[in-house]
Amino acid sequence: MKIAIIGITGRVGSRIAAEALRRGHTVTGIARSIDQAKVPAGVQLVQGDATQPEQLAALVRGHDAVVSAAKFSVLKAAPLLQALKSAGVKRLLVVGGAASLEVAPGVILLDSPSFPAEYKSEAVPGKQFLDDLRAETAVDWTFLSPAALLEPGVRTGKFRVGQNQLLADEQGNSRISMEDYAIALLDEIEQPKHIRQRFTVAY
């Protein structure tokens, strides 16, 4: 498949690219500034501003899927969806956050007393992004929320899959490596199971 990744130079975006290349897909990386050293060998890196729908549409046209690993404080859902529709790309996968996951019935992590204030500048627009996607019926979107802790680590291929609730282990730890997160996202691209849905992964 031909996969375009927005936010390719970030820690998660670069690992998604590596997993896609590992599986034999063609990867186009979209970044505001070209820095080949920050992406895996084999990525076709192109310069572009994803917040500009016309510019983004020209870059993603002809791709089978678009992955957005951009910051929610920078890229909103509306221009992204507009660009995909204009380009005729049906499939969108979004690197989500954990803040919108439920920790109790009707209570999301973002609204819990223990949620760190310094994360809210990204978590609040992340929740809004998901809300905006849920109103979208033309694009086949998927929003993949990681566990509470998403860090560089080991590629194991062993993790649990959930829907809208935060997953934690018996000790109360909620974590997933970026490498295993990338596996879950590529699995969803290749064998879609969560069209117009959010899902989550954790150990």
Side-chain angles (χ1 to χ4, degrees):
M1 298 171 71
K2 288 187 68 178
I3 301 170
I5 302 176
I6 301 165
I8 186 77
T9 58
R11 298 193 303 170
V12 179
S14 60
R15 283 167 172 81
I16 291 169
E19 182 65 28
L21 292 168
R22 181 182 185 134
R23 301 183 186 208
H25 300 296
T26 300
V27 177
T28 301
I30 299 169
R32 289 191 178 197
S33 57
I34 300 295
D35 187 348
Q36 200 74 46
K38 288 187 175 181
V39 302
V43 170
Q44 181 191 354
L45 201 54
V46 295
Q47 188 170 12
D49 184 350
T51 66
Q52 303 299 314
E54 288 186 13
Q55 192 178 134
L56 181 59
L59 296 176
V60 302
R61 189 170 285 115
H63 287 79
D64 299 299
V66 172
V67 176
S68 176
K71 289 184 182 299
F72 295 119
S73 54
V74 175
L75 181 59
K76 310 304 178 189
L80 181 56
L81 291 167
Q82 183 184 335
L84 264 69
K85 291 174 188 175
S86 176
V89 178
K90 288 282 289 181
R91 193 76 173 103
L92 169 66
L93 296 101
V94 178
V95 175
S100 57
L101 290 166
E102 288 188 352
V103 291
V107 180
I108 63 171
L109 184 60
L110 176 62
D111 295 334
S112 65
S114 60
F115 192 82
E118 61 267 26
Y119 294 160
K120 289 191 175 181
S121 61
E122 184 67 12
V124 171
K127 180 186 179 297
Q128 184 60 53
F129 196 109
L130 177 57
D131 288 343
D132 292 343
L133 285 181
R134 283 173 165 157
E136 173 59 41
T137 57
V139 173
D140 291 339
W141 60 269
T142 299
F143 188 98
L144 176 51
S145 287
L149 193 61
L150 176 64
E151 293 183 321
V154 179
R155 183 186 188 276
T156 70
K158 297 176 182 178
F159 46 81
R160 293 180 294 152
V161 176
Q163 287 294 129
N164 292 304
Q165 288 74 39
L166 183 74
L167 296 177
D169 62 20
E170 293 176 355
Q171 287 75 42
N173 299 312
S174 176
R175 51 179 293 273
I176 188 82
S177 73
M178 291 177 178
E179 288 77 5
D180 280 340
Y181 178 93
I183 289 177
L185 192 133
L186 263 295
D187 287 350
E188 178 65 25
I189 291 179
E190 294 177 347
Q191 297 181 320
K193 295 178 181 176
H194 302 92
I195 297 294
R196 301 198 189 107
Q197 295 178 40
R198 182 259 294 283
F199 76 109
T200 185
V201 289
Y203 296 129

